[in-house]
Amino acid sequence: MATDDSTTEERIILATVSCIEKEGINRLTIRSIAREAGVNSAAINYYFRSKDNLVARVMVTTLDHLFEDLDEIIADPKLDLREKLTEMLDYLIDGATRYPGVTRAHFAEALNGDPGESVFARRINEILKRLTQEAGSERADKDARRERDLRLVSLFSAAILPAIMPTFYRPFSGIDFRDSRTRKRYVLSLVERFAAGM
């Protein structure tokens, strides 16, 4: 029985992600989620008690998935810092372009309150701290640490706009970050510029 419960719960979560992508988080309804999941509305209320609880669970679940994958990249002993940064940024931009509705929902949380206090911001900042440890420069003087921190912030900031608006620069140059080759070239150029300053 527990397997059926977890399967139904997972189906509802996946259906919610799908509905967020199709309709946007502001037009999300219990009815559309139930239809997408192949369950009745009562099942959603049974498992999650409310649409708000369901959406909160989806936001946590998607962030958990993202940051588990980023943690795996950081922990990979076969990758040097440049390779880790390259994989992480490519993964972030790729995921955001494949799930723009969920990505916008995460950024909306940050934009609607104190941006530094959002769950997404806290978790990204944890990743940045781990990367500074990975760089092994904690012993550097205060100015060198500050410079390294600014470069890391600049690196991740340069990936955020293409992640949330992959076609923003298309009228100017035809660049579309949904194209994997374009994205990889862009990420490599960012990481090379970052590494040149180390």
Side-chain angles (χ1 to χ4, degrees), residues 89-110:
L89 295 176
D90 186 56
Y91 180 81
L92 285 168
I93 297 171
D94 179 53
T97 59
R98 285 190 294 129
Y99 297 100
V102 171
T103 301
R104 281 192 294 273
H106 285 299
F107 278 99
E109 177 195 7

Side-chain angles (χ1 to χ4, degrees), residues 55-67 70 105-127:
V55 169
R57 174 78 177 278
V58 166
M59 294 292 99
V60 167
T61 301
T62 55
L63 280 182
D64 285 348
H65 176 76
L66 166 66
F67 287 101
L70 293 179
H106 285 299
F107 278 99
E109 177 195 7
L111 293 171
N112 290 329
D114 180 352
E117 293 302 315
S118 73
V119 175
F120 181 75
R122 281 196 311 270
R123 298 208 45 196
I124 277 288
N125 281 286
E126 289 168 13
I127 289 290

Side-chain angles (χ1 to χ4, degrees), residues 15-89:
T16 304
V17 169
S18 179
C19 289
I20 290 171
E21 292 305 320
K22 290 177 188 174
E23 304 164 13
I25 200 160
N26 294 329
R27 290 181 291 204
L28 195 62
T29 65
I30 293 279
R31 189 172 292 167
S32 64
I33 296 167
R35 186 173 37 255
E36 184 78 21
V39 300
N40 60 35
S41 298
I44 293 172
N45 288 322
Y46 172 77
Y47 287 104
F48 300 98
R49 304 290 178 239
S50 71
K51 182 179 87 170
D52 289 344
N53 288 344
L54 171 57
V55 169
R57 174 78 177 278
V58 166
M59 294 292 99
V60 167
T61 301
T62 55
L63 280 182
D64 285 348
H65 176 76
L66 166 66
F67 287 101
E68 285 168 10
D69 290 347
L70 293 179
D71 284 339
E72 283 182 26
I73 294 169
I74 291 175
D76 189 338
K78 295 180 294 238
L79 301 176
D80 66 23
L81 183 59
R82 284 183 189 189
E83 292 167 324
K84 289 176 185 188
L85 289 169
T86 301
E87 280 199 33
M88 290 173 75
L89 295 176

Side-chain angles (χ1 to χ4, degrees), residues 131-150:
L131 287 169
T132 61
Q133 292 168 349
E134 183 75 23
S137 54
E138 322 66 60
R139 294 188 192 148
D141 68 38
K142 185 178 178 181
D143 290 339
R145 286 194 311 268
R146 181 79 169 156
E147 180 60 31
R148 178 218 50 223
D149 292 351
L150 286 171

